Amino acid sequence: MRTARLLAAIATPAVIAAVPAGHAQEAPRPYVVVGDAIPASLTGQSGDAARGRAIVADRQVGLCLLCHAGPFPEARLPGNLAPPLDGAGARWSAGQLRLRIVDAARLNPDTIMPPYYRTTGLQRVAPSFAGKPILSAAQIEDVVAFLATLKH
Amino acid sequence: MNRRQRSAASRTAVAALAAAVAVTVTVALAQTPPGTTGDARRSGYHDMGPALRAMQDDDSANPAMLWVRDGEALWNRRLGAAAKACADCHGSAASMAGVAARYPAFDAQLGRPVSLEERINLCRTDRQKAEALAGGSRELLALSAYVALQSRGRPIAPPDDERLRSYVAAGEALFKRRLGQLNLSCAQCHDDNGGRRLGGALIPQAHPTAYPIYRLEWQGLGSLKRRLRGCLVGVRAEPFADDAPEYVSLELFLMRRARGMTLEAPGVRP
């Protein structure tokens, strides 16, 4: 099993988290960007919103709440480095959400949002993460499916 | 030199440095004396709650003082093949006042800058003829805490040593470089988002005002290098090797960036 230290290690007691089984991360598959979106699913299938919610809420897997707030009454103090996720599914189509998670730098080169599905153009990546995207294609589809439910 | 003369002198010195190297952002910050309007710099101390500030302020509550006590004993202990104590060469630790405020410094013999910890180890090996202390060891932290304490309350005053310039520039470039799987630079968090929250943690401006620090999360004393390693691991970057020049370059840059701010070592941090 691969162990990983995570962004949260900066702020919380050195977290050693086991990557959940079944999410062994492969190199990114090719995808097509159309305008500001990736219209097609990365896996060819639609994701699962409940799993996506769990990924977003997990500070060692999605990391999202380190920067974004959102509709997570159970969550500990979220970060405030980014706009709240509330209403994301009303503002953006699934394809637009997908590109923003896959590689937000395509829309804003200066963004601090990590490129969740890019393994190139990165420097000094720790060996245990090298060549792997932050989230797998299936995880990203789950997150997209969840965000699409956030209509308010 | 009183405080005003000192900051005036440092302003002139900084202007000279600026002419030579274009560290413009740093200089714009450093030209404004701390505590006056227009200086937006703020020590991590001010980002802590009242309980932690009180813990740092009160020597009888500050856990770092346990290391300081060890450091004092080590300062006076004769050891090594030379059977000499630090005190045999330097006298009272009061002779160290101001030293921590101007390190890292260029070592002519090695031909490169050395951190305060490295300087202490050079005295161990060259003068005391003793084994170098391991980085992060209790003894090395104790001695650096004891030496740093002698500069408490003084303004950070890095020397305008032209031999350091290329290292400072390298440190600044590194500070602005995106690193790791999360692809974040030090500057994106500490310059652009200082004062905001990363999850539950307030992002400090990353001023090296308090090192070594007693960090609650570590349950112990740690060096600035350890803190930097933590931030590198946090963005899923491969930390630099323990003796890598990158740490001393970052330290040099951070000290320039904090020029004139008050040294508060040994500090307490969450």
Side-chain angles (χ1 to χ4, degrees), chain B residues 48-129:
Chain B
M48 305 193 301
L52 287 183
R53 290 204 303 269
M55 189 189 280
Q56 173 170 316
D57 291 341
D58 177 358
D59 281 352
S60 68
N62 183 340
M65 296 313 282
L66 298 171
W67 278 259
V68 166
R69 222 179 296 153
D70 286 0
E72 180 172 16
L74 276 171
W75 178 265
N76 292 303
R77 186 177 307 155
R78 299 210 158 98
L79 50 77
K84 276 193 165 38
C86 313
D88 288 327
C89 290
H90 296 288
S92 128
S95 65
M96 295 287 116
V99 171
R102 60 177 171 79
Y103 260 71
F106 196 82
D107 184 273
Q109 207 145 27
L110 294 176
R112 60 174 174 82
V114 296
S115 67
L116 184 57
E117 289 95 333
E118 250 184 304
R119 169 85 273 153
I120 290 169
N121 257 336
L122 287 170
C123 283
R124 289 263 309 182
T125 53
D126 297 355
R127 312 279 176 208
Q128 295 182 299
K129 308 289 179 200

Side-chain angles (χ1 to χ4, degrees), chain A residues 32-78:
Chain A
V32 180
V33 178
V34 179
D36 75 337
I38 301 174
S41 161
L42 299 174
T43 60
Q45 288 165 353
S46 50
D48 179 278
R51 276 201 309 260
R53 186 185 195 282
I55 292 166
V56 170
D58 188 322
R59 291 180 191 214
Q60 276 103 60
V61 180
L63 313 170
C64 316
L65 301 191
L66 290 175
C67 297
H68 292 274
F72 298 91
E74 79 281 17
R76 287 172 291 142
L77 205 54

